[in-house]
């Protein structure tokens, strides 16, 4: 490919509304353009990289015996009503009508569609297992589309679905997808970790998220420095933190005017945060749920949801809901409170191991001091559960080792669905005894476009992108210093032909621009290697090869360029 023919409009300025590095660089380097919030076009460079990721995904999926198909994006409402998700999916689903007023959605995912597809075709255990996948645009009306390709409203996903006769089969399918995902993200050059995750609203038993480690990530994970343990903090199981035992002091009320946060109270009363307890109030399935953790801990919403067997993710309770159950925002503790049909109290295990702590007095501008939970809470009428977020002060729940905290970008997820969808949509097969059984399903997603962004989040510097070779739009760029010099152009052309013959994905920057401009663009776009063809080197039958990642420059005989480039690329 010749740079003079390449449609890659670069920008000098960082676009004002680009909130993460990957988005800024992809806009500046001419990989993508924004159409509207959460909607992007891929320009040739961006699309080349996407296609490379897709090729890796395809190879590894095919190797794992998954077969590629393509289903419609437009999905009839009926199948979602049958599974119960037409309502449950909520505002994130893009819904439309046809001219006959029939309801449809633009697929946010395809469990319903694929289950409906296979149930009409598969009816015997002999036809199982089967694993089908597609690579397609998905649509989600995200509450906050942001971070460019990382959280967009239309994005490219690889979604795969496995169907087995039993749990054992599912375990095997899951393992083979897990392994394929390891290969895919390794081949894409990402630094990532598979982490245990919450099975959430989709239902099912086991799941792992593949997290690219990057500060721009929206997920918090902990991992052990000694063993393989790694978990999304939503499901990381914290141990019980015990405080030194103290003699119970008398419960007293103190005035705490305007101190409605636990930090403000601790400040006012000069107490360390761990000597306080704090309350967060949620609304879950129409029930008001009071969650209590130590002042220095944070509430894990997912754990609260599990503690009350909630079916939906917790939302913050509204002032009206608080009022309905008689709670005084900012001054709440379980002392003197009782559960009812529409009110639950969930207390973290570590709170039960505190002594003489401070918490709300359940009236405005007042707190209790010397709360002793085992004495002052109605212990038979509260739910005690591990509902705080695990931190890197905790020890590894597996081996007791030291935990580290990191931010992660979820680039993929594998999921044991079980029979949730096959039961709802009657996808059954006849087993060896001729009896009908629901198929046992798994689903497996990769955010293809998010993976592209994650790679840039991980690999860039102040000058631009530093592509891992496998997903770079071009592996190598040849930059003749002066495109008007026929000697340089001839040498460049020779190198270009030879590299192309060796299947190196190469771009020849034949533009008549100044060398400085071309170098800047090469750095910004982030080709792994740059071959500089200048008068002084060509006179010696040599060129310079610069490695984008290290900045290292190697002088190489023109005859040897192809073998040298091939060799260098192997390690990039
Ligand atoms: P998130 O928690 O980040 O919203 P999710 O868990 O809802 O993602 P899945 O249903 O597991 O997403 O979809 C599979 C993959 O699709 C995700 O692992 C992610 O890489 C990608 N993905 C999901 N939502 C988006 C989005 N809005 N923009 C880009 N990629 C996305
Ligand atoms: Mg997910």
């Amino acid at each position: 490919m010749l740079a003079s023919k390449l449609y890659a409009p670069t920008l000098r300025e960082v676009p004002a509304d680009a909130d993460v590095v990957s988005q800024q660089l992809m806009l500046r380097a001419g990989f993508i353009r924004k159409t509207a919030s959460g909607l992007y076009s891929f320009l040739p460079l961006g699309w080349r990289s996407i296609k490379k990721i897709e090729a890796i995904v395809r190879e590894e999926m095919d190797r794992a015996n998954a077969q590629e198909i393509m289903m419609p994006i437009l999905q009839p409402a009926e199948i979602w009503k049958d599974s119960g998700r037409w309502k449950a999916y909520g505002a994130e689903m893009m819904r439309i009508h046809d001219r006959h007023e029939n309801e449809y959605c633009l697929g946010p995912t395809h469990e319903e569609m694929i289950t409906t597809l296979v149930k009409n075709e598969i009816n015997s255990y002999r036809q199982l297992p089967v694993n089908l996948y597609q690579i397609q645009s998905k649509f989600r009306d995200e509450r906050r589309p942001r971070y460019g390709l990382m959280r967009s409203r239309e994005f490219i996903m690889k979604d795969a679905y496995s169907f087995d006769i039993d749990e054992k089969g599912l375990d095997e399918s899951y393992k083979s997808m897990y392994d394929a995902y390891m290969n895919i993200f390794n081949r894409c050059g990402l630094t990532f970790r598979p982490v245990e995750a919450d099975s959430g609203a989709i239902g099912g038993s086991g799941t792992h998220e593949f997290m690219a480690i990057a500060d721009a990530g929206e997920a918090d994970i902990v991992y052990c420095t000694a063993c393989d343990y790694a978990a999304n903090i939503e499901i990381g199981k914290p141990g019980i933190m015990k405080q030194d035992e103290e003699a119970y002091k008398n419960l007293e009320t103190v005035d705490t005017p305007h101190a409605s946060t636990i930090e403000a109270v601790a400040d006012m009363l000069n107490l360390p945060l761990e000597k306080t307890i704090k309350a967060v109030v949620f609304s879950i399935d129409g029930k008001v749920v009071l969650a209590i953790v130590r002042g220095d801990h944070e509430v894990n919403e997912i754990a609260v949801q599990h503690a009350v067997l909630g079916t939906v993710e917790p939302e913050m309770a509204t002032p009206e809901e608080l009022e309905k159950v008689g709670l005084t925002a900012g001054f709440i503790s379980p002392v003197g409170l009782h559960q009812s049909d529409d009110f639950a109290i969930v207390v973290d295990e570590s709170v039960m191991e505190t002594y003489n702590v401070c918490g709300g007095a359940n009236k405005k501008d007042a707190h209790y001091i010397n709360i002793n939970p085992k004495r002052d809470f109605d212990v038979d009428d509260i739910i005690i559960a591990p509902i705080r977020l695990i931190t890197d002060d905790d020890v590894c729940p597996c081996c007791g080792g030291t935990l580290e905290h990191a931010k992660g970008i979820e680039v993929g997820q594998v999921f044991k669905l079980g029979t949730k969808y096959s039961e709802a949509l009657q996808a059954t097969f006849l087993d060896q005894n001729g009896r009908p059984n629901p198929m046992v399903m798994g689903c497996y997603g990769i955010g293809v476009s998010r993976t592209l962004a994650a790679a840039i989040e991980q690999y860039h510097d102040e000058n631009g992108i530093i592509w891992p070779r496998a997903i770079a739009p071009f592996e190598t760029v040849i930059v003749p210093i002066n495109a008007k010099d026929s000697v340089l152009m001839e040498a460049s052309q020779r190198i270009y032909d030879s590299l192309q013959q060796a299947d190196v994905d190469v771009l020849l920057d034949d533009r008549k621009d100044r060398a400085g401009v071309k170098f800047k663009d090469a750095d910004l776009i982030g080709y792994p290697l740059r071959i500089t063809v200048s008068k002084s080197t060509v006179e010696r039958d040599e060129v310079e090869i610069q490695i984008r990642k290290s900045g290292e420059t190697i002088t190489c005989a023109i005859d040897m360029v192809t073998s040298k480039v091939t060799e260098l690329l192997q390690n990039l």
Side-chain angles (χ1 to χ4, degrees), residues 22 26 80 91 98 126 130 165 181 197 221-222 227 229 267 291 323 334 365 374 388 421 424 482 491 500 552-553:
S22 54
M26 275 190 276
W80 289 82
D98 67 10
R126 286 195 199 87
V130 66
I165 57 169
Y181 277 34
I221 64 171
V222 284
C227 75
Y229 178 78
D267 219 32
E323 204 176 315
D365 294 336
K374 283 182 191 147
R388 71 181 174 91
Y421 295 92
N482 178 358
Q500 276 208 316
E552 189 189 347
T553 302

Side-chain angles (χ1 to χ4, degrees), residues 124-126 429-437:
S124 160
Y125 71 94
R126 286 195 199 87
F429 66 96
L430 296 179
D431 66 15
Q432 266 162 311
N433 306 314
R435 275 196 297 264
N437 279 298

Side-chain angles (χ1 to χ4, degrees), residues 140 197-198 207-209 410 412-415 445 450:
R140 294 186 186 176
D198 180 58
T207 177
H208 285 87
E209 290 164 339
E410 183 196 319
Q413 183 163 21
V414 289
F415 218 104
R450 190 184 278 183

Side-chain angles (χ1 to χ4, degrees), residues 361-413:
N362 295 316
K363 59 181 180 189
K364 200 164 165 37
D365 294 336
H367 277 80
Y368 286 127
I369 54 169
N370 303 331
I371 296 175
N372 286 285
K374 283 182 191 147
R375 177 190 67 187
D376 299 322
F377 297 175
D378 185 353
V379 287
D380 297 327
D381 191 30
I382 55 175
I383 301 162
I384 300 170
I387 56 156
R388 71 181 174 91
L389 286 175
I390 194 167
T391 71
D392 40 17
D393 290 337
D394 284 289
V395 293
C396 171
C398 284
C399 75
T402 311
L403 291 179
E404 295 263 1
H405 173 263
K407 287 278 183 192
I409 301 169
E410 183 196 319
V411 284
Q413 183 163 21

Side-chain angles (χ1 to χ4, degrees), residues 120-186:
N120 295 321
E121 314 290 344
I122 292 180
N123 31 47
S124 160
Y125 71 94
R126 286 195 199 87
Q127 294 165 285
L128 296 172
V130 66
N131 188 336
L132 303 169
Y133 76 96
Q134 61 177 353
I135 300 179
Q136 185 192 60
S137 290
K138 293 281 184 282
F139 297 80
R140 294 186 186 176
D141 198 356
E142 296 279 353
R143 188 193 300 261
R144 282 182 68 202
R146 57 188 168 152
Y147 302 159
L149 297 185
M150 290 212 276
R151 189 166 295 287
S152 46
R153 297 196 293 169
E154 175 173 344
F155 57 95
I156 304 167
M157 196 204 283
K158 184 285 299 177
D159 46 328
Y161 306 88
S162 66
F163 298 85
D164 279 277
I165 57 169
D166 54 18
E167 288 291 330
K168 188 169 158 282
L170 170 60
D171 288 347
E172 281 163 26
S173 297
Y174 185 85
K175 170 84 171 60
S176 91
M177 284 297 102
Y178 182 101
D179 292 344
Y181 277 34
M182 293 296 288
N183 293 343
I184 288 166
F185 295 121
N186 273 323

Side-chain angles (χ1 to χ4, degrees), residues 414-429:
V414 289
F415 218 104
K416 288 185 189 173
L417 288 171
T419 55
K420 177 175 163 151
Y421 295 92
S422 47
E423 279 181 33
L425 299 162
Q426 288 112 42
T428 56
F429 66 96

